[in-house]
Amino acid sequence: MLSTHYKSDRIASLSLLNPVGLTGDWIPALTAAAAGRLVGPGLDRLRAADAAIQPGMPTAADPAALSEYAAAIYPAWFHAMELASLFAPPTSRSVTGAAVSARLRREGYDWRHLVGPIPVPTLLLHGVADLIPFTVAEATAGTLGAKAHLRLIPEAGHNPFWEQPSIVFSSIEDFLDAAERPSAP
């Protein structure tokens, strides 16, 4: 996360790929959004894993329960869910990380006071099929200011560099090329 205390003379441009957003408002709807994409045993697995990490449950901050939830929800992060089988879902072994995750799910977060307009060109890339709604990316771009540009990546989820690599990398290259060109006087 960017703080308003950074040195802008050291940053020429900034690229963000599917950032989580400046508030945790999207978290409560995450499992329901994923459930809308999963069927059969995958949906049953997600429901069971979600129940185990709910606030107040003894397993809410258990790394193994968090890993099971990550594995259950993992296919829904993709536009083409069959791609999920090509990559290992994230796992958690950290008790501290699981406790932080449980707290964020329970209390949310709001980092807007830590971030303001960024005076350098900023590119936000966001997969249209990401479980994090594109409105979150729009809000982030708005907070980052006039030099922030949002590019939605079609037919891509949370990892658009796997699903649409040519669009992602050409977008970043074009952005960096434009950022390196001197401004007209």
Side-chain angles (χ1 to χ4, degrees):
M1 188 50 52
L2 292 175
S3 168
T4 55
H5 304 290
Y6 66 91
K7 296 245 183 220
S8 64
D9 61 330
R10 295 184 187 168
I11 300 172
S13 63
L14 177 65
S15 298
L16 301 171
L17 184 59
N18 282 73
V20 296
L22 301 177
T23 72
D25 293 345
W26 58 274
I27 294 173
L30 179 63
T31 299
R37 297 180 185 184
L38 300 172
V39 295
L43 179 57
D44 295 340
R45 181 181 183 191
L46 175 64
R47 287 180 176 151
D50 181 58
I53 63 165
Q54 286 301 308
M57 292 296 294
T59 53
D62 176 18
L66 184 60
S67 290
E68 174 57 19
Y69 178 80
I73 199 171
Y74 193 64
W77 285 106
F78 291 84
H79 169 74
M81 289 191 294
E82 64 275 4
L83 282 178
S85 66
L86 300 176
F87 306 99
T91 59
S92 175
R93 292 183 183 90
S94 167
V95 173
T96 302
V100 169
S101 178
R103 182 176 179 183
L104 292 174
R105 282 191 315 277
R106 183 179 66 247
E107 299 172 18
Y109 62 89
D110 187 345
W111 297 326
R112 290 175 292 189
H113 67 284
L114 298 172
V115 178
I118 296 179
V120 298
T122 304
L123 175 66
L124 282 88
L125 297 173
H126 187 87
V128 171
D130 191 356
L131 289 175
I132 300 172
F134 74 91
T135 55
V136 172
E138 288 177 322
T140 299
T143 300
L144 296 180
K147 292 194 175 195
H149 304 282
L150 174 61
R151 169 96 196 265
L152 297 177
I153 307 298
E155 298 181 12
H158 192 66
N159 300 296
F161 49 86
W162 285 332
E163 294 185 285
Q164 296 293 343
S166 62
I167 295 173
V168 169
F169 294 114
S170 66
S171 295
I172 293 170
E173 288 172 0
D174 292 348
F175 169 73
L176 292 175
D177 287 345
E180 289 179 0
R181 279 188 231 115
S183 303

